[in-house]
Amino acid sequence: MKQKIILVMSLLTVSVMLALVTFLYAALRPRALSSSFGITDNAPRAPELAAGSWLNSDPLTLKGLRGRVVLLEFWTYGCYNCTNTLPTVKRWDERYRERGLTIIGVHSPEFDSEKQIENVRRQVRSHGIRYPVVTDNEHTTWRAYDVGAWPTLILLDKQGRIRYTRVGEGKYDQTENVIKTLLAEQADGATEQTKAGANSINEPLAAVARASAGGGKGAGAGVSEKVIKTDEEWRQALTPEQFHVLREKGTERAFTGAYWDHHEAGGYTCAACGLALFNSEAKFDSSTGWPSFREPISQHSIETETDVSYGMARTEVLCRRCGSHLGHVFDDGPAPTGLRYCINSVSLKFVKQS
Ligand SMILES: [Zn+2]
């Protein structure tokens, strides 16, 4: 009898532990957005699209599209960054539709007016969008894909698995290279590389993303050549603090950096690659404890990305040449720009005016 009770107790304990582990795994699982762009490491099965009104096509299902590469573009017509992205997405539709790409615009509205189908229809027509668009008024598909910002582009391979996520404008060459790579794969997921015995199906994709980050066209005037290094090479080139801020998007503590209270005339370059970023004339005292600038030397020396970490939507500022994290830009700065580029001292190197 006693043994029976012990057995039952142990079984109970094991089940409780198992439930706890399962719960913790689910709770701590990294969200898709933690990699705001780049190749997903393991390829999860893409959730089926929720029901909605279809424009430009009969209702489609991902199951029915198996064997084709699918680009889901989460957008809403009221979103400025989405409008900027549309010409490129339309070009991909023209270029790759016949070669096996299906683009689906998942219209996920922000405001009530954007839920009106006649408004969506008018916008789709006026933007000349020819690919299928489906409304997602209840954000069901949006939530299923764990989307957090407009626009978000998600690429599915021919087997219906999520292989790439890109949040925000830009990096079009990188996204297009992934499209090409996925189109070149066999419907069963095999590639020349995997046939040759590579470990991971995603390796060639990662290589494409790395290469295109460096060799892409349209990098912007003034930045003739991108600087691309592996994490290991950056570690060698930078101090641990620089590596943390520049390459891991860290933030130095306020009032601790070299430049928050620095007033000499000169320029500030990227501490990672040396690209000229800010001038001392644009520097102002923001009392935040971080060096603050009204504007960069040129919009071609920086790029911005939507950063949704820590539950806030902020605009991250990166060096356009090497992609290093510099800080964030806010719209509470002084005239005439009204902007405040809040930059880590660690990300900068001051060069005295000669
Ligand atoms: Zn740089």
Side-chain angles (χ1 to χ4, degrees), residues 56 73 75 86 90 93 123-133:
N56 291 341
E73 187 214 8
W75 72 299
L86 282 180
K90 281 161 50 189
D93 181 46
Q123 292 287 338
V124 165
R125 205 181 307 130
S126 75
H127 283 294
I129 294 171
R130 310 253 298 271
Y131 51 82
V133 170

Side-chain angles (χ1 to χ4, degrees), residues 282-294:
K283 194 169 185 292
F284 69 98
D285 199 350
S286 65
S287 335
T288 58
W290 289 285
S292 303
F293 303 88
R294 283 190 301 273

